[in-house]
Amino acid sequence: MKLAFYGHTSTIVFTYTKDEKFNKQGTLSGLRPIYDSVLASISSQNINISHEISAKLSESKEYRRDYYGVRRYEDANKKEYYGISRYLGYEDGEVENNIFSATLGAEDAETDTLFVFDAGYGGLCIPEAKSIVWISNKVLPDKEQFEKIAAKSFLFLDGSVLRKAGAMISRQISWERTVSELISEIQNNPKISYLLKARQLFINFDVDGAVFILPNGKTGLEASLMLTHGEIEGSIGSKRPNQINDVLVFSGMALMFVTSVAFLSELIASGEIPVSEYDNSFNTRLDAMITFLSQRGGRTASSFENAMNDAVKYGCALRAILETGDAVVNNPVSLIGDAAPDADSDESSDNNVQLKDWPAFPIPLMKNDEMLEVPKDWTVINSVGNRELYDVAFEYVQHGAAAIEGLPRFALGGLTTVDRWEIESYQNIRNLILDYANTESSRPLNIAVFGSPGSGKSFGVTQIATNVLPGKIEKLEFNVSQFVSPMDLGAAFQKVRDCLLEGKLPLVFFDEFDSDKEGLPLGWVKSFLMPMQDGRFRDESGEHPLGKCILVFAGGTASNFESFVRDDQDFKNAKGPDFISRLRGTINVVGPNPKDDDDKNHILRRALLLRSLCERDKRINKVNGSVAVNPDIIRAMLTVPKFHHGARSMEAILAMSRIEGGVWEPTALPFHSQLALHVDAGAFLGIV
């Protein structure tokens, strides 16, 4: 077994001031530390290193040197850490193009696996090898050069490289959206479509998620999604912006992968395959990685009973790469001991979560003309492997967030949702509010929220605004259905101005904005057009500037945005199209009832709400993260066909229950007549 290493290496130099003295610390990045790690982990002989490097990194100029200024930062928990304050440029090294080349194995043997690290410095001329692993977080492989070796190549790329090349792949909306656009772009965008000629592709998105793509001559391609946790792309890094490790994370992920491949390649060649008797997850991952390596000469059937396709099986093994990056992020390089997290601290445990029964999610693909596409209604939550949604929901009510770790979710303040469409809407609103707060615009930011009564329309937006702009938001709420004349609207806007004068950013809810006015459908809509567009309003004393604020219009007659928009004359006469044109974001809040016959995710929405209600109820005992609720009650609350008044009904059933002794038992439930106000009482009690 002969392994070869070829590509770019550099020295990263961090500069900082301590005790009023200038200091610097250097560390290798790129291919060289990957090679050193492989060298330390395998027992191959006949090692040949093409050139040496000084042991004193701070004095070595053999490789390109990238300089970063470093200073102290403070995270949300008031913990100090060192982070990059700015990039200070670079110096060229003494080695041409900073190219490092080395081999492990007999010099006269053909290279079995060549590892290429492309940092974008240029000058690469790829040596011959049976199999090639191409790694980069800076540039795509040169198209002309790559096409000669594509059929024997594994690509390990950062998603930012594809975006930089022109791929239209969204960020921080939802994992399903990111995946769908990636699959579309990599087939249709000529700037990146040549990558599909590779044998396999692994594309990571920060350390939060990755997509493994396996081109297949029969089906076109197979793909799976891996997640380190359930939050959106960039969420781990955002907890500690400018962290030193940001420039080392990708190298750490590549190091993990290359070392695993090299180690297992040698074992496969020697016939010595390790077996662990105490860690089944290790055996599962090892089995997948061995199969992954051994299939280079041809594909075989999956060895996992629960794997829907080979891409999922390989994804189970490759997901460890994400965990490696997560670990690097959460264990900062220590320049000065007193600023680093304590070694015994569990500070990073909230981020570094081990997934349960869903290490990789199969990505469904359907043929549309000559291309494959992800179904528009696909959600990861319906791909939880051998677990049923009911089981996940039930466990969440009992034990909390641990049950949905690894599933995509949006969590901010008291708001948690696992519904893809709500996640996308809330992420969009979050981004809009952050962008708006950082602009000088004096026009209002206009958002519309729709949902059935009791779905919690105002709750979600309030949680987003107050948590992304803590201490800066003042919430005002008005019910338009109670307005009698335009003077009421003018008085509401005057309160908005008063709030601005107090230095707050008003978050203004106009509930039931779509109410009738003097018998005219949507009669109040016209009155909002000038404030929405021009940031001005009229009252009995004249016209006034409104100022910077967030206007939220909560619908009362339509359960979703689509049913609010109509193509009839009444809607046009009410200036409905003009109102819509002034909106910058909309949310459809689904609530705990199924939105249609195909909606199976309502059971998880109910679980999230029920758990939240139980946590807030002081009558219910909480022990080690579990709530004391009888399983029969959980089953009834999750599976009863409908709550008449949405979330309000769920809240009312709990509030009316006569809970004693800290446990919510069936004997504590409300009387039949009380239950009938909120559910089909017979069906509910029949489940209990």
Side-chain angles (χ1 to χ4, degrees), residues 593-650:
N593 290 323
K595 56 186 178 183
D596 53 45
D597 293 339
D598 296 325
D599 180 18
K600 309 301 181 187
N601 296 338
H602 73 281
I603 195 168
L604 266 173
R605 297 196 298 271
R606 288 183 179 183
L608 295 172
L609 178 58
L610 180 57
R611 171 74 188 196
S612 176
L613 292 172
C614 291
E615 286 179 344
R616 296 199 301 265
D617 196 310
K618 296 181 179 179
R619 300 172 299 167
I620 298 177
N621 289 338
K622 293 89 180 174
V623 181
N624 297 326
S626 299
V627 293
V629 181
N630 184 285
D632 293 333
I633 290 182
I634 297 176
R635 183 168 59 250
M637 295 291 281
L638 294 181
T639 60
V640 70
K642 181 182 179 182
F643 290 98
H644 297 331
H645 310 293
R648 293 173 188 163
S649 290
M650 294 183 67

Short mmCIF file of all heavy atoms in Angstrom, two decimals, residues 593-650:
data_model
loop_
_atom_site.label_atom_id
_atom_site.label_comp_id
_atom_site.label_asym_id
_atom_site.label_seq_id
_atom_site.Cartn_x
_atom_site.Cartn_y
_atom_site.Cartn_z
N ASN A 593 -52.85 21.54 14.65
CA ASN A 593 -53.76 20.71 13.87
C ASN A 593 -53.18 20.43 12.48
O ASN A 593 -52.42 21.25 11.95
CB ASN A 593 -55.12 21.40 13.72
CG ASN A 593 -55.89 21.43 15.02
OD1 ASN A 593 -55.83 20.49 15.81
ND2 ASN A 593 -56.60 22.52 15.27
N PRO A 594 -53.50 19.28 11.88
CA PRO A 594 -53.00 18.99 10.53
C PRO A 594 -53.48 20.06 9.55
O PRO A 594 -54.65 20.45 9.57
CB PRO A 594 -53.61 17.62 10.21
CG PRO A 594 -54.00 17.04 11.53
CD PRO A 594 -54.35 18.20 12.41
N LYS A 595 -52.58 20.54 8.69
CA LYS A 595 -52.99 21.55 7.72
C LYS A 595 -53.70 20.92 6.53
O LYS A 595 -54.43 21.59 5.81
CB LYS A 595 -51.79 22.36 7.26
CG LYS A 595 -50.65 21.56 6.68
CD LYS A 595 -49.45 22.45 6.39
CE LYS A 595 -48.27 21.65 5.85
NZ LYS A 595 -47.07 22.48 5.63
N ASP A 596 -53.47 19.61 6.30
CA ASP A 596 -54.17 18.86 5.26
C ASP A 596 -54.03 17.38 5.57
O ASP A 596 -53.39 16.99 6.56
CB ASP A 596 -53.63 19.19 3.86
CG ASP A 596 -52.12 19.02 3.74
OD1 ASP A 596 -51.60 18.00 4.23
OD2 ASP A 596 -51.47 19.92 3.19
N ASP A 597 -54.58 16.54 4.71
CA ASP A 597 -54.57 15.10 4.97
C ASP A 597 -53.17 14.50 4.91
O ASP A 597 -52.93 13.42 5.47
CB ASP A 597 -55.48 14.37 3.95
CG ASP A 597 -56.95 14.72 4.15
OD1 ASP A 597 -57.30 15.15 5.27
OD2 ASP A 597 -57.73 14.56 3.20
N ASP A 598 -52.25 15.18 4.22
CA ASP A 598 -50.89 14.65 4.08
C ASP A 598 -49.93 15.14 5.16
O ASP A 598 -48.76 14.74 5.19
CB ASP A 598 -50.33 15.02 2.71
CG ASP A 598 -51.12 14.40 1.57
OD1 ASP A 598 -51.58 13.26 1.74
OD2 ASP A 598 -51.28 15.06 0.53
N ASP A 599 -50.42 16.01 6.02
CA ASP A 599 -49.55 16.60 7.04
C ASP A 599 -49.40 15.65 8.22
O ASP A 599 -50.28 15.52 9.06
CB ASP A 599 -50.14 17.94 7.50
CG ASP A 599 -49.29 18.61 8.57
OD1 ASP A 599 -48.11 18.24 8.71
OD2 ASP A 599 -49.80 19.51 9.26
N LYS A 600 -48.25 14.98 8.27
CA LYS A 600 -47.95 14.07 9.39
C LYS A 600 -47.13 14.76 10.47
O LYS A 600 -46.98 14.22 11.57
CB LYS A 600 -47.20 12.84 8.87
CG LYS A 600 -47.85 12.14 7.69
CD LYS A 600 -49.25 11.66 8.02
CE LYS A 600 -49.88 10.93 6.83
NZ LYS A 600 -51.31 10.60 7.07
N ASN A 601 -46.57 15.91 10.15
CA ASN A 601 -45.67 16.58 11.08
C ASN A 601 -46.40 17.28 12.23
O ASN A 601 -45.75 17.76 13.16
CB ASN A 601 -44.80 17.60 10.35
CG ASN A 601 -43.89 16.94 9.34
OD1 ASN A 601 -43.59 15.75 9.45
ND2 ASN A 601 -43.45 17.70 8.36
N HIS A 602 -47.73 17.35 12.16
CA HIS A 602 -48.46 18.03 13.23
C HIS A 602 -48.22 17.36 14.58
O HIS A 602 -48.28 18.02 15.62
CB HIS A 602 -49.96 18.05 12.91
CG HIS A 602 -50.63 16.71 13.07
ND1 HIS A 602 -50.55 15.72 12.12
CD2 HIS A 602 -51.38 16.20 14.09
CE1 HIS A 602 -51.22 14.66 12.53
NE2 HIS A 602 -51.73 14.92 13.71
N ILE A 603 -47.90 16.08 14.57
CA ILE A 603 -47.70 15.38 15.83
C ILE A 603 -46.46 15.90 16.55
O ILE A 603 -46.42 15.99 17.78
CB ILE A 603 -47.62 13.85 15.58
CG1 ILE A 603 -47.78 13.10 16.89
CG2 ILE A 603 -46.32 13.47 14.90
CD1 ILE A 603 -48.01 11.61 16.69
N LEU A 604 -45.43 16.29 15.78
CA LEU A 604 -44.25 16.88 16.40
C LEU A 604 -44.51 18.31 16.84
O LEU A 604 -44.00 18.75 17.86
CB LEU A 604 -43.07 16.83 15.42
CG LEU A 604 -42.15 15.61 15.56
CD1 LEU A 604 -41.12 15.58 14.45
CD2 LEU A 604 -41.46 15.60 16.91
N ARG A 605 -45.32 19.04 16.07
CA ARG A 605 -45.67 20.39 16.49
C ARG A 605 -46.43 20.35 17.82
O ARG A 605 -46.21 21.17 18.71
CB ARG A 605 -46.50 21.08 15.41
CG ARG A 605 -45.77 21.28 14.08
CD ARG A 605 -46.47 22.29 13.21
NE ARG A 605 -47.81 21.92 12.83
CZ ARG A 605 -48.13 21.20 11.75
NH1 ARG A 605 -47.17 20.76 10.95
NH2 ARG A 605 -49.39 20.92 11.46
N ARG A 606 -47.31 19.38 17.95
CA ARG A 606 -48.03 19.22 19.21
C ARG A 606 -47.07 18.89 20.35
O ARG A 606 -47.21 19.39 21.46
CB ARG A 606 -49.08 18.11 19.07
CG ARG A 606 -50.27 18.47 18.21
CD ARG A 606 -51.26 17.34 18.19
NE ARG A 606 -52.44 17.67 17.38
CZ ARG A 606 -53.50 16.89 17.24
NH1 ARG A 606 -53.53 15.71 17.86
NH2 ARG A 606 -54.52 17.27 16.49
N ALA A 607 -46.11 18.02 20.05
CA ALA A 607 -45.17 17.61 21.09
C ALA A 607 -44.37 18.80 21.60
O ALA A 607 -44.16 18.95 22.81
CB ALA A 607 -44.23 16.53 20.55
N LEU A 608 -43.92 19.66 20.70
CA LEU A 608 -43.16 20.83 21.10
C LEU A 608 -43.99 21.75 21.98
O LEU A 608 -43.51 22.28 23.00
CB LEU A 608 -42.68 21.59 19.86
CG LEU A 608 -41.67 20.85 18.97
CD1 LEU A 608 -41.44 21.63 17.67
CD2 LEU A 608 -40.36 20.65 19.69
N LEU A 609 -45.25 21.95 21.59
CA LEU A 609 -46.12 22.83 22.36
C LEU A 609 -46.47 22.21 23.72
O LEU A 609 -46.43 22.89 24.76
CB LEU A 609 -47.39 23.13 21.57
CG LEU A 609 -48.44 24.00 22.27
CD1 LEU A 609 -47.86 25.34 22.66
CD2 LEU A 609 -49.65 24.20 21.35
N LEU A 610 -46.78 20.92 23.72
CA LEU A 610 -47.16 20.26 24.96
C LEU A 610 -46.00 20.27 25.95
O LEU A 610 -46.19 20.52 27.15
CB LEU A 610 -47.60 18.82 24.67
CG LEU A 610 -48.03 17.98 25.87
CD1 LEU A 610 -49.18 18.65 26.63
CD2 LEU A 610 -48.44 16.57 25.42
N ARG A 611 -44.80 20.00 25.47
CA ARG A 611 -43.63 20.03 26.36
C ARG A 611 -43.44 21.42 26.95
O ARG A 611 -43.17 21.58 28.15
CB ARG A 611 -42.40 19.63 25.56
CG ARG A 611 -41.07 19.82 26.29
CD ARG A 611 -40.84 18.77 27.36
NE ARG A 611 -39.67 19.09 28.17
CZ ARG A 611 -39.05 18.23 28.96
NH1 ARG A 611 -39.47 16.99 29.05
NH2 ARG A 611 -38.00 18.60 29.67
N SER A 612 -43.61 22.46 26.11
CA SER A 612 -43.46 23.83 26.59
C SER A 612 -44.49 24.16 27.66
O SER A 612 -44.17 24.77 28.69
CB SER A 612 -43.58 24.81 25.41
OG SER A 612 -43.53 26.14 25.85
N LEU A 613 -45.74 23.72 27.45
CA LEU A 613 -46.79 23.98 28.42
C LEU A 613 -46.49 23.28 29.75
O LEU A 613 -46.68 23.85 30.83
CB LEU A 613 -48.14 23.52 27.87
CG LEU A 613 -48.71 24.30 26.68
CD1 LEU A 613 -49.95 23.60 26.13
CD2 LEU A 613 -49.03 25.73 27.08
N CYS A 614 -46.02 22.05 29.67
CA CYS A 614 -45.73 21.29 30.88
C CYS A 614 -44.56 21.89 31.65
O CYS A 614 -44.55 21.90 32.89
CB CYS A 614 -45.44 19.83 30.53
SG CYS A 614 -46.88 18.92 29.93
N GLU A 615 -43.56 22.37 30.92
CA GLU A 615 -42.40 22.97 31.59
C GLU A 615 -42.79 24.23 32.35
O GLU A 615 -42.23 24.52 33.42
CB GLU A 615 -41.31 23.29 30.56
CG GLU A 615 -40.57 22.07 30.04
CD GLU A 615 -39.53 22.44 29.01
OE1 GLU A 615 -39.60 23.57 28.47
OE2 GLU A 615 -38.65 21.60 28.71
N ARG A 616 -43.76 24.98 31.82
CA ARG A 616 -44.16 26.23 32.47
C ARG A 616 -45.14 26.02 33.62
O ARG A 616 -45.33 26.92 34.44
CB ARG A 616 -44.76 27.19 31.43
CG ARG A 616 -43.80 27.63 30.35
CD ARG A 616 -44.30 28.90 29.66
NE ARG A 616 -45.59 28.72 29.04
CZ ARG A 616 -45.77 28.40 27.75
NH1 ARG A 616 -44.73 28.20 26.96
NH2 ARG A 616 -46.98 28.29 27.26
N ASP A 617 -45.78 24.85 33.65
CA ASP A 617 -46.78 24.59 34.69
C ASP A 617 -46.07 24.15 35.97
O ASP A 617 -45.46 23.07 36.03
CB ASP A 617 -47.75 23.50 34.21
CG ASP A 617 -49.01 23.45 35.06
OD1 ASP A 617 -48.88 23.42 36.30
OD2 ASP A 617 -50.12 23.45 34.49
N LYS A 618 -46.16 24.95 37.01
CA LYS A 618 -45.44 24.68 38.26
C LYS A 618 -46.04 23.51 39.03
O LYS A 618 -45.43 23.01 39.98
CB LYS A 618 -45.43 25.93 39.13
CG LYS A 618 -44.66 27.09 38.51
CD LYS A 618 -44.66 28.31 39.42
CE LYS A 618 -43.88 29.46 38.79
NZ LYS A 618 -43.87 30.68 39.64
N ARG A 619 -47.22 23.05 38.65
CA ARG A 619 -47.84 21.92 39.35
C ARG A 619 -47.23 20.58 38.94
O ARG A 619 -47.42 19.57 39.62
CB ARG A 619 -49.35 21.89 39.06
CG ARG A 619 -50.09 23.15 39.51
CD ARG A 619 -51.53 23.10 39.01
NE ARG A 619 -51.59 23.06 37.54
CZ ARG A 619 -52.69 22.77 36.85
NH1 ARG A 619 -53.82 22.47 37.49
NH2 ARG A 619 -52.66 22.77 35.53
N ILE A 620 -46.51 20.56 37.80
CA ILE A 620 -45.95 19.31 37.27
C ILE A 620 -44.48 19.19 37.67
O ILE A 620 -43.69 20.11 37.46
CB ILE A 620 -46.09 19.26 35.73
CG1 ILE A 620 -47.57 19.29 35.34
CG2 ILE A 620 -45.41 18.02 35.17
CD1 ILE A 620 -47.80 19.32 33.84
N ASN A 621 -44.11 18.05 38.24
CA ASN A 621 -42.73 17.82 38.64
C ASN A 621 -41.82 17.67 37.43
O ASN A 621 -42.20 17.10 36.41
CB ASN A 621 -42.63 16.56 39.50
CG ASN A 621 -43.24 16.73 40.88
OD1 ASN A 621 -43.39 17.86 41.37
ND2 ASN A 621 -43.62 15.62 41.51
N LYS A 622 -40.59 18.20 37.57
CA LYS A 622 -39.55 18.04 36.55
C LYS A 622 -38.33 17.44 37.23
O LYS A 622 -37.78 18.03 38.17
CB LYS A 622 -39.16 19.37 35.90
CG LYS A 622 -40.26 19.99 35.05
CD LYS A 622 -41.14 20.90 35.85
CE LYS A 622 -42.24 21.52 35.00
NZ LYS A 622 -43.20 22.30 35.84
N VAL A 623 -37.91 16.26 36.77
CA VAL A 623 -36.78 15.57 37.37
C VAL A 623 -35.81 15.15 36.27
O VAL A 623 -36.18 14.40 35.35
CB VAL A 623 -37.23 14.33 38.17
CG1 VAL A 623 -36.01 13.65 38.81
CG2 VAL A 623 -38.25 14.71 39.23
N ASN A 624 -34.57 15.67 36.35
CA ASN A 624 -33.53 15.31 35.38
C ASN A 624 -33.99 15.50 33.94
O ASN A 624 -33.74 14.66 33.07
CB ASN A 624 -33.08 13.86 35.60
CG ASN A 624 -32.45 13.65 36.95
OD1 ASN A 624 -31.78 14.54 37.49
ND2 ASN A 624 -32.66 12.48 37.53
N GLY A 625 -34.70 16.59 33.70
CA GLY A 625 -35.12 16.90 32.34
C GLY A 625 -36.41 16.25 31.90
O GLY A 625 -36.90 16.51 30.80
N SER A 626 -36.98 15.38 32.72
CA SER A 626 -38.23 14.70 32.37
C SER A 626 -39.40 15.35 33.10
O SER A 626 -39.25 15.85 34.23
CB SER A 626 -38.17 13.22 32.74
OG SER A 626 -37.13 12.58 32.03
N VAL A 627 -40.57 15.35 32.45
CA VAL A 627 -41.77 15.89 33.07
C VAL A 627 -42.68 14.74 33.50
O VAL A 627 -42.75 13.71 32.83
CB VAL A 627 -42.53 16.84 32.11
CG1 VAL A 627 -41.71 18.08 31.83
CG2 VAL A 627 -42.90 16.14 30.81
N ALA A 628 -43.35 14.94 34.62
CA ALA A 628 -44.19 13.89 35.20
C ALA A 628 -45.58 13.94 34.58
O ALA A 628 -46.51 14.54 35.14
CB ALA A 628 -44.25 14.04 36.72
N VAL A 629 -45.72 13.32 33.41
CA VAL A 629 -47.00 13.27 32.70
C VAL A 629 -47.28 11.82 32.35
O VAL A 629 -46.42 11.12 31.80
CB VAL A 629 -46.98 14.13 31.43
CG1 VAL A 629 -48.34 14.07 30.72
CG2 VAL A 629 -46.62 15.57 31.76
N ASN A 630 -48.49 11.35 32.66
CA ASN A 630 -48.87 9.98 32.36
C ASN A 630 -48.79 9.72 30.85
O ASN A 630 -49.27 10.53 30.05
CB ASN A 630 -50.29 9.73 32.88
CG ASN A 630 -50.73 8.29 32.70
OD1 ASN A 630 -51.05 7.86 31.60
ND2 ASN A 630 -50.76 7.55 33.81
N PRO A 631 -48.22 8.59 30.43
CA PRO A 631 -48.09 8.28 28.99
C PRO A 631 -49.42 8.29 28.24
O PRO A 631 -49.47 8.64 27.05
CB PRO A 631 -47.46 6.89 28.98
CG PRO A 631 -46.72 6.80 30.29
CD PRO A 631 -47.55 7.58 31.26
N ASP A 632 -50.51 7.89 28.91
CA ASP A 632 -51.82 7.88 28.24
C ASP A 632 -52.27 9.29 27.88
O ASP A 632 -52.89 9.51 26.84
CB ASP A 632 -52.86 7.21 29.13
CG ASP A 632 -52.58 5.72 29.32
OD1 ASP A 632 -51.95 5.12 28.42
OD2 ASP A 632 -52.98 5.17 30.37
N ILE A 633 -51.96 10.26 28.75
CA ILE A 633 -52.31 11.65 28.44
C ILE A 633 -51.47 12.16 27.28
O ILE A 633 -51.98 12.84 26.37
CB ILE A 633 -52.12 12.54 29.69
CG1 ILE A 633 -53.18 12.22 30.74
CG2 ILE A 633 -52.17 14.02 29.31
CD1 ILE A 633 -53.10 13.07 31.99
N ILE A 634 -50.19 11.83 27.28
CA ILE A 634 -49.33 12.25 26.16
C ILE A 634 -49.89 11.69 24.86
O ILE A 634 -50.00 12.40 23.85
CB ILE A 634 -47.89 11.77 26.37
CG1 ILE A 634 -47.29 12.41 27.62
CG2 ILE A 634 -47.04 12.09 25.15
CD1 ILE A 634 -45.88 11.92 27.95
N ARG A 635 -50.24 10.42 24.86
CA ARG A 635 -50.77 9.78 23.65
C ARG A 635 -52.04 10.48 23.16
O ARG A 635 -52.22 10.73 21.96
CB ARG A 635 -51.03 8.30 23.91
CG ARG A 635 -51.49 7.55 22.67
CD ARG A 635 -51.46 6.04 22.85
NE ARG A 635 -52.31 5.61 23.96
CZ ARG A 635 -51.84 5.14 25.12
NH1 ARG A 635 -50.53 5.05 25.31
NH2 ARG A 635 -52.68 4.75 26.07
N ALA A 636 -52.94 10.80 24.08
CA ALA A 636 -54.19 11.46 23.69
C ALA A 636 -53.93 12.85 23.13
O ALA A 636 -54.52 13.25 22.12
CB ALA A 636 -55.13 11.53 24.89
N MET A 637 -53.05 13.60 23.78
CA MET A 637 -52.76 14.97 23.32
C MET A 637 -52.08 14.97 21.96
O MET A 637 -52.26 15.89 21.16
CB MET A 637 -51.89 15.68 24.35
CG MET A 637 -52.55 15.93 25.70
SD MET A 637 -53.89 17.15 25.65
CE MET A 637 -52.97 18.69 25.62
N LEU A 638 -51.31 13.92 21.68
CA LEU A 638 -50.60 13.87 20.40
C LEU A 638 -51.46 13.35 19.26
O LEU A 638 -51.24 13.71 18.09
CB LEU A 638 -49.35 12.99 20.52
CG LEU A 638 -48.23 13.49 21.44
CD1 LEU A 638 -47.07 12.50 21.43
CD2 LEU A 638 -47.75 14.87 21.03
N THR A 639 -52.43 12.49 19.56
CA THR A 639 -53.14 11.78 18.48
C THR A 639 -54.61 12.13 18.33
O THR A 639 -55.24 11.66 17.37
CB THR A 639 -53.00 10.26 18.67
OG1 THR A 639 -53.58 9.88 19.93
CG2 THR A 639 -51.54 9.85 18.64
N VAL A 640 -55.19 12.91 19.26
CA VAL A 640 -56.59 13.29 19.09
C VAL A 640 -56.74 14.02 17.75
O VAL A 640 -55.85 14.78 17.34
CB VAL A 640 -57.06 14.18 20.26
CG1 VAL A 640 -56.42 15.55 20.22
CG2 VAL A 640 -58.59 14.30 20.28
N PRO A 641 -57.82 13.77 17.00
CA PRO A 641 -57.90 14.31 15.63
C PRO A 641 -57.74 15.82 15.52
O PRO A 641 -57.06 16.30 14.61
CB PRO A 641 -59.30 13.87 15.17
CG PRO A 641 -59.58 12.63 15.96
CD PRO A 641 -58.93 12.85 17.30
N LYS A 642 -58.34 16.59 16.45
CA LYS A 642 -58.31 18.04 16.27
C LYS A 642 -58.51 18.75 17.61
O LYS A 642 -59.26 18.29 18.47
CB LYS A 642 -59.41 18.48 15.30
CG LYS A 642 -59.45 19.97 15.02
CD LYS A 642 -60.61 20.34 14.10
CE LYS A 642 -60.67 21.84 13.84
NZ LYS A 642 -61.80 22.22 12.98
N PHE A 643 -57.82 19.87 17.76
CA PHE A 643 -58.08 20.80 18.86
C PHE A 643 -58.91 21.95 18.29
O PHE A 643 -58.46 22.63 17.35
CB PHE A 643 -56.77 21.31 19.46
CG PHE A 643 -56.00 20.27 20.22
CD1 PHE A 643 -54.95 19.59 19.63
CD2 PHE A 643 -56.35 19.97 21.53
CE1 PHE A 643 -54.25 18.62 20.33
CE2 PHE A 643 -55.65 19.00 22.24
CZ PHE A 643 -54.60 18.31 21.63
N HIS A 644 -60.11 22.15 18.83
CA HIS A 644 -61.05 23.11 18.24
C HIS A 644 -60.47 24.50 18.13
O HIS A 644 -60.75 25.23 17.16
CB HIS A 644 -62.34 23.16 19.08
CG HIS A 644 -63.09 21.87 19.11
ND1 HIS A 644 -63.06 20.96 18.08
CD2 HIS A 644 -63.91 21.33 20.08
CE1 HIS A 644 -63.82 19.92 18.39
NE2 HIS A 644 -64.35 20.12 19.60
N HIS A 645 -59.68 24.92 19.09
CA HIS A 645 -59.14 26.28 19.11
C HIS A 645 -57.61 26.28 19.09
O HIS A 645 -56.97 27.16 19.66
CB HIS A 645 -59.66 27.04 20.34
CG HIS A 645 -61.15 26.95 20.50
ND1 HIS A 645 -62.02 27.54 19.60
CD2 HIS A 645 -61.92 26.31 21.43
CE1 HIS A 645 -63.28 27.28 19.99
NE2 HIS A 645 -63.23 26.54 21.08
N GLY A 646 -57.05 25.29 18.43
CA GLY A 646 -55.61 25.24 18.25
C GLY A 646 -54.84 25.16 19.56
O GLY A 646 -55.22 24.45 20.50
N ALA A 647 -53.75 25.92 19.63
CA ALA A 647 -52.89 25.90 20.82
C ALA A 647 -53.64 26.33 22.07
O ALA A 647 -53.33 25.87 23.18
CB ALA A 647 -51.68 26.80 20.59
N ARG A 648 -54.62 27.21 21.91
CA ARG A 648 -55.39 27.65 23.08
C ARG A 648 -56.12 26.49 23.73
O ARG A 648 -56.28 26.43 24.97
CB ARG A 648 -56.38 28.73 22.68
CG ARG A 648 -55.72 30.04 22.23
CD ARG A 648 -56.74 30.99 21.68
NE ARG A 648 -56.12 32.17 21.08
CZ ARG A 648 -56.73 33.00 20.25
NH1 ARG A 648 -58.00 32.79 19.94
NH2 ARG A 648 -56.09 34.04 19.75
N SER A 649 -56.59 25.55 22.92
CA SER A 649 -57.29 24.39 23.47
C SER A 649 -56.33 23.49 24.24
O SER A 649 -56.67 22.97 25.31
CB SER A 649 -57.96 23.59 22.34
OG SER A 649 -59.05 24.32 21.81
N MET A 650 -55.13 23.28 23.72
CA MET A 650 -54.14 22.48 24.44
C MET A 650 -53.82 23.12 25.78
O MET A 650 -53.73 22.43 26.82
CB MET A 650 -52.86 22.32 23.60
CG MET A 650 -53.05 21.52 22.32
SD MET A 650 -51.50 21.28 21.41
CE MET A 650 -50.57 20.21 22.52
#
